[in-house]
Amino acid sequence: MEILIFMLIGVLIGRFCFPKKLKKLNEKMQVVMTMLLIFSMGVMLGRRENLIDELSSLGFKSLVFCLIPTILSTVIVYFLTERFSVKKYTITVLK
């Protein structure tokens, strides 16, 4: 939960307070911080004593948590694109 709060604070600071001339530096910092976050999550998982035993039970749940949002997002984007996209028609002129 704390991670989400800090991410939200970062988004708000980046949107309203961060100067545009430092955009490149901000992008590089985002990549570094994301790598640090993934590394720290790996360390937290690696410290668990029963990680190998838990992986077998988590495998199916992880697959379901991956597939359901992916499928629903794809379907929603498809229908929204069909509904709101501007269709361009080409007119061919016969000579």
Side-chain angles (χ1 to χ4, degrees), residues 2-3 6 15-17 22 30 32 44 48-50 53 61 65 67 74-76 78 83 87 90 93:
E2 296 92 13
I3 293 173
F6 282 112
R15 175 70 174 105
F16 297 111
C17 301
L22 297 176
Q30 286 177 3
V32 170
M44 287 183 347
R48 296 172 88 167
E49 292 185 19
N50 298 330
D53 296 331
K61 291 177 185 176
F65 282 129
L67 288 179
T74 303
V75 169
I76 290 170
Y78 175 78
R83 172 72 172 96
K87 302 207 187 272
T90 57
V93 178

Side-chain angles (χ1 to χ4, degrees), residues 16-71:
F16 297 111
C17 301
F18 206 78
K20 295 205 184 282
K21 63 182 177 182
L22 297 176
K23 184 179 179 211
K24 287 289 184 190
L25 176 65
N26 188 23
E27 290 172 358
K28 290 177 183 176
M29 293 278 294
Q30 286 177 3
V31 171
V32 170
M33 291 300 150
T34 302
M35 290 174 18
L36 182 64
L37 175 66
I38 293 170
F39 175 77
S40 63
M41 290 171 65
V43 169
M44 287 183 347
L45 283 174
R47 291 175 50 190
R48 296 172 88 167
E49 292 185 19
N50 298 330
L51 176 65
I52 301 300
D53 296 331
E54 294 173 1
L55 282 179
S56 62
S57 66
L58 290 175
F60 181 72
K61 291 177 185 176
S62 299
L63 181 65
V64 170
F65 282 129
C66 169
L67 288 179
I68 288 176
T70 301
I71 291 170

